[in-house]
Amino acid sequence: MGIEDASMRNGRALSDQWADSVVVRPRTTEQHITVNKRLVLGFAISILTLIVVTAIAITLSVSFEKCAAESSGALAANGSSNSKWKQSRDANISHRDSEDGQEPWRHLRLPATLRPRHYDLRLSVSMENFTFSGEVRIEFECVQSTKLIVLHTDRLEVEKVLVYSDSKKAGAMRIQRRFHYQPKQVYVIALHREMKPLRTYKINITFHAHIEHELLGFFRSSYVLNGERRFLAVTQFSPTHARKAFPCFDEPIYKATFRVSLKHESSYQSLSNMPVEASTSDEDGWVTNHFSRTPRMSTYYLAWAVCNFTYREAVTDSVVIRLYARPDAIQSGSGDYALHITKRLLRFYQDYFKVKYSLPKLDLLAVPKHPYAAMENWGLSVFVEQKILLDPDISSFSYQMELTMVVVHEICHQWFGDLVTPVWWEDVWLKEGFAHYFEYIGTDYLFPKWNMEKQRFLTDVLHEVMLLDGLASSHPISQEVFEATDIDRVFDWIAYKKGAALIRMLANVMGQPLFQRGLNDYLMTHMYGNAARDDLWNKFSETMQREGKDINITQVMDRWTLQMGYPVVTISKNDSLDNSVTISQEHFVYDTDAKIQNPELFNKSFQWQIPLTLAVGNSSHISTETIIWVSNKTETHRVGHMDGETWLLGNINQTGYFRVNYDLHNWILLIQQLKTNPTIISVGNRAGLIDDVFNLARAGYLPQNVPLQMISYLSQETEFLPWHAASRALYQLDKLLDRTEDHSLFSDYVLRQVEPKYHKLGWPATSPEGSFMQAAYQTEELQREVMMLACSFGNKHCHRQAVSLISDWISSNKNRIPPNVRDIVYCTGVSLMDEDVWEFIWMKFHSSTAISEKKVLLEALTCSDNIFLLNRLLNLSLTSDLVPDQDVIDVIIHVGRNPLGRHLAWRYFREKWDILNSRYGEALFMNSKLISGVTEFLNTEAELNELKEFILTSGGESAPAFARAIEIVQANVKWHVLFQQQFYRWLQKALDG
């Protein structure tokens, strides 16, 4: 909700004709004048006429603005489709040739007639009453003749506007009118005379606004130190919220330099993208920091903060790195780990990209509340505390890994995003996909034994996003943006995870040396500017051609970025031709009925150019892989020698973004191979086979018993990754089955596969002194995965062990539970033990100062089998300042994952929707997570109808997350109708046998 502009309240937003006709005349002093009656009468009529005309004009003016607001949606959609920017760096000049109807403020995009060069921004920030005032001076170039200056403002009270020309003519240019057009969050200044091309101009705007509690724009947050509540204010401008803090050209293409000055109480300090250049103090106890001029950058990467934090510092290659946080967190050393890895990462990225980091400093700021995990502002990256503060003695490995990857992601953005920025939001994956891919490459550099890119990438990125992208409600990775609301929606797992998966596929096709060379060319060519996907593809194609490899990367990759979804590649032995296989591709969709229900979407012929790697093997040997480019719906290819016992394996190490299916005989051979000698097949492919077989069965491509037969080999599996892939698939099935009468059959079957490995691995070992000894990473992760499955599916030994450890903690008040399994132990203990244990965990949550421990404790409270306690937790989470915003969402989702709390979470979500939506509505990523988290377990016809009715009454029909929710629940219902009986019949036979 924007602040109504003063000029519109006072009737200033009038038509040009009305503005030209109004003349303000000076008053005269009273004089003794003799007039006759006719003159008086004529004068009275004139005055009356003038009053009537004025009233009519004002009425028409108000109606005009009201009409403009009501019609803005349709007109903007129209205008945006006519003003598509070209896929090039110079799109800001050429994407519109005129002001299109003389009302460019109605469009989604700013008119391309002006281009900012530099901003001088001076702000005065009051932390006493949470307000700020400012003056911005923007130097801009006129590209095309125009009388109009259109820039973004939202929630700002504009006080004064002056426009100056660079010509010798002194004084400000005459302003005809100015007004705020809220539907498009723009401020319009109409001049009396045109600005001329190739000339520079300056605009001065003074304004003021509130430092909002909402976590967007320039917002405030707080924390408690030594019993005293302290406040800070920080910015979050991505994607379209810089306009909430100062008037600006708030689109990525409009890069400019910035010089920021911040005035505030001297008890606070201030930070911005660049170092402090000078500082002055006033007699009234205020200080002003003047920051150095930035490089050319987009508005949404500008940042500042006013706080009373302290910091730790490191220096590398003349770059000063500081981590700012609450004084107690800095004192305890919670920020040291992130500071240490950031120092190493700056060197890694500079060596990998062969492009030097551009700024003299890099600050990492840990804030108590933030709408996202982190934001990569150039030189001042902002993190929510849970994603950057680490307490090494009590943090689990999974917490350390997640924190590491968030830091790796944000530091990568200093190149992909900050240095080279996407032209427009439709290609946001150009920065987010790269940063997500390099989470795994960068973490491999820091910790090679974790084997992130070759292993965890598969389960945590590839398998996860393919679940989402297999829905009929998915969308292409490059999305057209027609309305401002579409901008937030492009920041989803398709942009992040699918982007990363496609980049990884391309890197494997090109080979790492050529991939790195192409990235270097791309960054060097477009640094301090903008780029579109074709700019990247062209650099990769040129790199390949220089090596004599004639692959048109644009032609290949457009199929993957401009089409939604992905293919399932089916490989079958060709009986009519020796040593030949038939390879076919089709669009993989979980619900095949969607193609019938939505013919407009599926009447296209979805087809991809697929880099299929293929190997043949038998019980003792596997061939080297060959690559086959599959372009047609069906193709025949010759491969190595095959006989009746030879199996085929496609998508070696799962480098491709697609699923692979085989004829049933080949599946049986692969299952037999896994049972007899699984190591013939790589770890990555073993995990990939598990993920593919479960999802192919879920979509009806395979009988339901095939995936269950495959996991019967797991007792022989010694590697973490296949177990991780299996557990993810089994938890998905458990959500479908846990309220069915025969659920115990499923639990018993899972435990039959898990218990041999559980008893072999045991629990973390103890030293003679009684402390737990840390094992190697892979061993510890495998042990944790098997323990979690055992406790979740009801292994009695696992339950007893967890209860014993909780009881020891309560009686001794010493927590001897290994950090890596605390979440399993806490959750199991809370679910099995009485209410006193829940109260004990709640007390520990309140008293703990370790961010990672608080998160684990809070999630453990959701495991209770007491509905009263779960309901209490939900209400406390939403109202308590102790629970960060991200954790409120996690509490609701985790209560929903508790079989006893599922209906409670669903009901609570519906009852509190207005509050939740107002809090997280603009942070769409969080809102989507919440919607999917509380609806994914619904699987009956009655629940599907409840969901549809709620969406209808809540006005959520247009939200993509609700469309996905409907499709997932429909698929759940359909699975029960089609496959539940078949599934349980096979399980019964397997258990009896």
Side-chain angles (χ1 to χ4, degrees):
M1 301 294 289
I3 300 170
E4 189 182 13
D5 187 72
S7 65
M8 289 191 70
R9 284 202 305 269
N10 297 328
R12 290 281 300 282
L14 310 177
S15 69
D16 290 346
Q17 291 84 356
W18 175 250
D20 289 340
S21 68
V22 174
V23 180
V24 180
R25 302 183 184 278
R27 291 188 178 186
T28 60
T29 56
E30 229 179 86
Q31 295 180 14
H32 295 282
I33 301 171
T34 305
V35 293
N36 59 38
K37 290 182 180 179
R38 185 175 296 173
L39 184 59
V40 171
L41 182 59
F43 183 72
I45 291 170
S46 299
I47 293 295
L48 185 59
T49 304
L50 184 60
I51 291 170
V52 171
V53 169
T54 303
I56 292 170
I58 291 172
T59 304
L60 288 172
S61 168
V62 172
S63 299
F64 166 78
E65 292 302 333
K66 185 179 178 183
C67 181
E70 289 172 351
S71 63
S72 63
L75 287 166
N78 225 11
S80 63
S81 64
N82 292 329
S83 59
K84 283 280 294 171
W85 284 23
K86 289 197 307 180
Q87 293 289 332
S88 77
R89 311 170 59 218
D90 299 321
N92 60 323
I93 299 173
S94 61
H95 79 286
R96 283 175 298 257
D97 297 325
S98 70
E99 288 178 5
D100 198 5
Q102 308 304 313
E103 294 181 347
W105 57 83
R106 294 178 181 277
H107 299 161
L108 169 66
R109 304 286 295 275
L110 296 177
T113 48
L114 307 176
R115 182 167 55 196
R117 287 180 170 181
H118 177 71
Y119 293 77
D120 269 316
L121 177 61
R122 300 173 187 178
L123 294 176
S124 179
V125 179
S126 172
M127 296 299 290
E128 287 294 317
N129 58 10
F130 302 117
T131 61
F132 67 100
S133 59
E135 179 181 0
V136 65
R137 182 182 178 90
I138 309 171
E139 179 185 313
F140 59 91
E141 178 188 354
C142 180
V143 179
Q144 296 173 11
S145 297
T146 180
K147 287 184 178 182
L148 297 176
I149 300 171
V150 184
L151 39 68
H152 288 106
T153 65
D154 185 26
R155 308 185 190 184
L156 301 176
E157 286 282 5
V158 174
E159 296 165 357
K160 188 177 179 182
V161 178
L162 294 170
V163 182
Y164 299 92
S165 169
D166 66 350
S167 66
K168 295 179 181 178
K169 189 174 180 180
M173 298 175 70
R174 188 178 170 196
I175 295 174
Q176 189 179 65
R177 59 178 175 139
R178 56 186 176 96
F179 61 92
H180 184 215
Y181 187 64
Q182 178 55 33
K184 291 293 181 277
Q185 298 179 349
V186 293
Y187 199 81
V188 183
I189 299 107
L191 303 172
H192 264 278
R193 61 185 176 89
E194 279 192 335
M195 294 175 287
K196 301 300 180 185
L198 305 181
R199 296 262 295 273
T200 56
Y201 297 83
K202 293 182 177 68
I203 182 170
N204 274 37
I205 305 176
T206 56
F207 57 94
H208 66 270
H210 293 281
I211 303 172
E212 301 285 357
H213 186 65
E214 181 189 21
L215 307 181
L216 295 169
F218 186 27
F219 69 91
R220 68 182 186 266
S221 185
S222 67
Y223 60 97
V224 175
L225 182 66
N226 301 325
E228 175 193 354
R229 182 162 295 281
R230 295 191 177 187
F231 292 92
L232 67 144
V234 66
T235 59
Q236 170 56 37
F237 290 163
S238 176
T240 58
H241 306 293
R243 65 194 67 174
K244 290 181 170 68
F246 66 106
C248 56
F249 295 82
D250 199 15
E251 292 182 13
I253 195 72
Y254 290 120
K255 286 196 166 185
T257 56
F258 296 81
R259 194 181 290 276
V260 176
S261 297
L262 292 173
K263 182 179 180 180
H264 49 81
E265 294 98 328
S266 58
S267 57
Y268 288 87
Q269 62 180 315
S270 54
L271 307 169
S272 190
N273 305 77
M274 299 296 285
V276 174
E277 195 172 62
S279 187
T280 56
S281 297
D282 297 342
E283 293 179 1
D284 58 1
W286 286 59
V287 65
T288 303
N289 283 334
H290 304 274
F291 296 90
S292 300
R293 188 184 184 118
T294 71
R296 287 185 74 243
M297 57 191 276
S298 299
T299 47
Y300 73 93
Y301 282 133
L302 189 66
W304 61 81
V306 177
C307 59
N308 39 30
F309 283 175
T310 54
Y311 66 87
R312 291 277 175 91
E313 181 179 288
V315 180
T316 179
D317 299 330
S318 73
V319 178
V320 178
I321 308 166
R322 288 179 175 177
L323 188 142
Y324 288 84
R326 291 178 283 108
D328 53 333
I330 291 295
Q331 189 175 1
S332 70
S334 297
D336 292 355
Y337 173 77
L339 187 65
H340 169 68
I341 64 172
T342 298
K343 180 178 177 178
R344 294 182 62 197
L345 284 166
L346 274 183
R347 289 176 181 161
F348 165 71
Y349 282 126
Q350 289 182 136
D351 291 343
Y352 192 100
F353 299 140
K354 295 182 171 49
V355 177
K356 195 170 171 55
Y357 175 71
S358 301
L359 305 187
K361 64 99 173 174
L362 173 58
D363 293 335
L364 313 176
L365 180 64
V367 299
K369 289 190 176 185
H370 198 266
Y372 308 105
M375 178 60 206
E376 70 273 12
N377 310 307
W378 212 356
L380 178 58
S381 290
V382 181
F383 298 75
V384 72
E385 287 182 337
Q386 296 118 304
K387 303 301 181 184
I388 196 168
L389 299 182
L390 178 76
D391 304 279
D393 294 336
I394 58 174
S395 296
S396 67
F397 171 76
S398 58
Y399 184 89
Q400 180 192 356
M401 178 189 285
E402 185 179 357
L403 184 150
T404 302
M405 295 173 79
V406 171
V407 176
V408 174
H409 181 109
E410 302 310 319
I411 305 306
C412 177
H413 270 315
Q414 305 294 305
W415 284 265
F416 283 90
D418 297 9
L419 183 64
V420 179
T421 311
V423 168
W424 183 237
W425 300 110
E426 64 192 7
D427 279 332
V428 73
W429 70 272
L430 274 179
K431 72 183 187 76
E432 296 301 346
F434 270 103
H436 203 59
Y437 172 63
F438 275 98
E439 285 180 28
Y440 295 83
I441 302 297
T443 305
D444 271 344
Y445 166 76
L446 295 172
F447 303 103
K449 291 182 180 177
W450 291 7
N451 220 352
M452 298 295 289
E453 190 270 334
K454 286 186 170 56
Q455 295 202 11
R456 286 300 283 254
F457 187 95
L458 303 185
T459 50
D460 297 0
V461 180
L462 186 66
H463 298 173
E464 186 164 327
V465 75
M466 289 176 93
L467 282 171
L468 186 63
D469 206 20
L471 299 174
S473 55
S474 187
H475 58 79
I477 192 173
S478 288
Q479 299 183 75
E480 289 190 83
V481 174
F482 296 113
E483 287 294 333
T485 50
D486 296 331
I487 293 172
D488 277 310
R489 290 174 185 163
V490 301
F491 287 83
D492 65 4
W493 279 144
I494 298 293
Y496 284 68
K497 292 182 181 287
K498 184 174 181 177
L502 294 183
I503 291 162
R504 177 174 176 266
M505 180 171 72
L506 185 56
N508 278 277
V509 168
M510 294 179 68
Q512 278 297 321
L514 293 186
F515 178 69
Q516 282 183 250
R517 207 175 303 162
L519 291 185
N520 173 256
D521 286 351
Y522 171 77
L523 290 170
M524 292 296 289
T525 301
H526 301 291
M527 61 169 54
Y528 306 111
N530 299 79
R533 61 180 177 273
D534 282 351
D535 296 316
L536 179 66
W537 303 150
N538 291 338
K539 288 300 176 186
F540 281 150
S541 292
E542 289 167 14
T543 304
M544 298 285 279
Q545 285 160 11
R546 283 197 294 269
E547 293 295 313
K549 300 179 179 180
D550 190 19
I551 298 177
N552 187 323
I553 300 293
T554 304
Q555 194 176 52
V556 172
M557 295 307 295
D558 275 356
R559 298 286 185 94
W560 295 95
T561 59
L562 302 181
Q563 292 183 141
M564 63 177 273
Y566 55 87
V568 52
V569 177
T570 302
I571 308 170
S572 306
K573 291 179 185 176
N574 192 320
D575 295 330
S576 60
L577 290 170
D578 289 342
N579 300 326
S580 293
V581 293
T582 299
I583 302 172
S584 61
Q585 61 164 299
E586 68 172 292
H587 182 195
F588 178 88
V589 182
Y590 283 101
D591 185 3
T592 50
D593 287 348
K595 296 183 179 182
I596 302 166
Q597 294 163 0
N598 198 346
E600 288 184 12
L601 180 63
F602 293 100
N603 62 3
K604 309 172 192 172
S605 178
F606 284 89
Q607 215 163 304
W608 291 264
Q609 290 196 25
I610 304 166
L612 173 66
T613 47
L614 188 65
V616 295
N618 56 35
S619 58
S620 59
H621 174 74
I622 186 170
S623 71
T624 54
E625 66 188 70
T626 58
I627 185 166
I628 298 169
W629 282 94
V630 180
S631 302
N632 302 306
K633 287 286 187 182
T634 304
E635 300 179 3
T636 300
H637 292 269
R638 295 185 71 83
V639 296
H641 176 71
M642 292 185 296
D643 58 32
E645 299 304 310
T646 303
W647 41 259
L648 296 157
L649 184 67
N651 197 14
I652 305 305
N653 295 320
Q654 285 220 293
T655 55
Y657 185 71
F658 48 88
R659 297 199 183 280
V660 181
N661 194 12
Y662 309 94
D663 57 73
L664 205 51
H665 180 65
N666 198 77
W667 278 113
I668 292 167
L669 290 173
L670 286 168
I671 291 168
Q672 192 59 40
Q673 182 66 57
L674 291 174
K675 287 180 176 180
T676 55
N677 185 5
T679 57
I680 290 288
I681 298 172
S682 72
V683 173
N685 273 117
R686 299 202 299 269
L689 284 169
I690 291 169
D691 186 68
D692 276 346
V693 77
F694 271 93
N695 284 284
L696 289 166
R698 175 74 186 269
Y701 286 86
L702 289 172
Q704 300 303 304
N705 61 301
V706 178
L708 296 173
Q709 285 178 285
M710 179 166 282
I711 62 167
S712 65
Y713 97 95
L714 279 176
S715 59
Q716 300 170 63
E717 181 56 73
T718 58
E719 296 286 345
F720 158 73
L721 193 72
W723 273 99
H724 190 46
S727 69
R728 288 167 60 90
L730 291 169
Y731 290 134
Q732 287 285 332
L733 261 179
D734 191 50
K735 281 187 291 192
L736 270 178
L737 299 168
D738 67 358
R739 289 179 292 164
T740 57
E741 288 183 15
D742 295 322
H743 178 254
S744 60
L745 289 175
F746 177 62
S747 296
D748 291 347
Y749 186 80
V750 172
L751 284 176
R752 181 182 287 188
Q753 317 312 317
V754 170
E755 283 174 339
K757 183 63 66 175
Y758 167 77
H759 291 300
K760 185 175 182 180
L761 291 173
W763 280 60
T766 56
S767 67
E769 299 83 35
S771 60
F772 282 91
M773 299 168 62
Q774 190 166 359
Y777 154 69
Q778 293 285 355
T779 303
E780 199 165 277
E781 282 297 275
L782 175 59
Q783 187 178 52
R784 168 186 161 78
E785 198 71 50
V786 173
M787 280 175 56
M788 190 179 294
L789 281 165
C791 274
S792 297
F793 283 93
N795 178 274
K796 300 301 182 188
H797 180 273
C798 193
H799 286 180
R800 286 194 298 271
Q801 189 77 357
V803 168
S804 173
L805 286 167
I806 292 278
S807 299
D808 174 68
W809 181 19
I810 293 171
S811 61
S812 67
N813 205 28
K814 289 185 179 179
N815 191 344
R816 290 185 272 257
I817 304 167
N820 205 34
V821 297
R822 282 186 180 180
D823 57 340
I824 303 171
V825 173
Y826 293 175
C827 181
T828 305
V830 167
S831 69
L832 296 172
M833 302 169 80
D834 60 23
E835 189 175 331
D836 290 343
V837 173
W838 194 93
E839 296 289 354
F840 174 80
I841 298 290
W842 177 248
M843 179 193 69
K844 290 295 182 184
F845 167 73
H846 276 272
S847 61
S848 176
T849 57
I851 297 293
S852 58
E853 181 72 355
K854 287 181 81 72
K855 186 173 179 64
V856 176
L857 289 163
L858 188 64
E859 289 180 1
L861 294 168
T862 69
C863 300
S864 174
D865 62 356
N866 185 317
I867 294 295
F868 169 77
L869 292 175
L870 292 177
N871 198 49
R872 177 181 161 199
L873 177 63
L874 287 169
N875 289 315
L876 284 168
S877 298
L878 197 58
T879 56
S880 172
D881 282 343
L882 294 171
V883 182
D885 284 351
Q886 277 99 338
D887 287 349
V888 173
I889 290 175
D890 287 340
V891 165
I892 299 171
I893 291 172
H894 278 78
V895 168
R897 287 177 182 166
N898 178 342
L900 294 171
R902 290 189 173 173
H903 279 99
L904 177 64
W906 171 226
R907 190 184 74 233
Y908 187 83
F909 169 80
R910 285 176 289 163
E911 289 175 355
K912 303 296 183 182
W913 168 247
D914 288 341
I915 297 171
L916 294 165
N917 193 42
S918 65
R919 184 181 290 192
Y920 306 119
E922 284 201 72
L924 199 79
F925 204 73
M926 293 169 71
N927 217 11
S928 297
K929 178 183 176 184
L930 176 61
I931 291 167
S932 60
V934 298
T935 59
E936 63 183 356
F937 63 85
L938 304 176
N939 57 35
T940 67
E941 195 73 47
E943 289 168 340
L944 175 60
N945 291 332
E946 273 182 359
L947 175 60
K948 288 178 177 176
E949 184 181 348
F950 169 72
I951 293 171
L952 200 62
T953 55
S954 68
E957 301 97 317
S958 60
F962 279 128
R964 287 195 296 271
I966 287 285
E967 187 179 350
I968 289 168
V969 177
Q970 282 176 333
N972 291 346
V973 173
K974 182 179 175 182
W975 188 91
H976 278 285
V977 172
L978 295 178
F979 302 125
Q980 181 185 318
Q981 288 186 352
Q982 174 194 138
F983 182 86
Y984 277 131
R985 276 198 302 270
W986 187 89
L987 273 180
Q988 187 69 63
K989 286 181 184 177
L991 289 165
D992 290 346

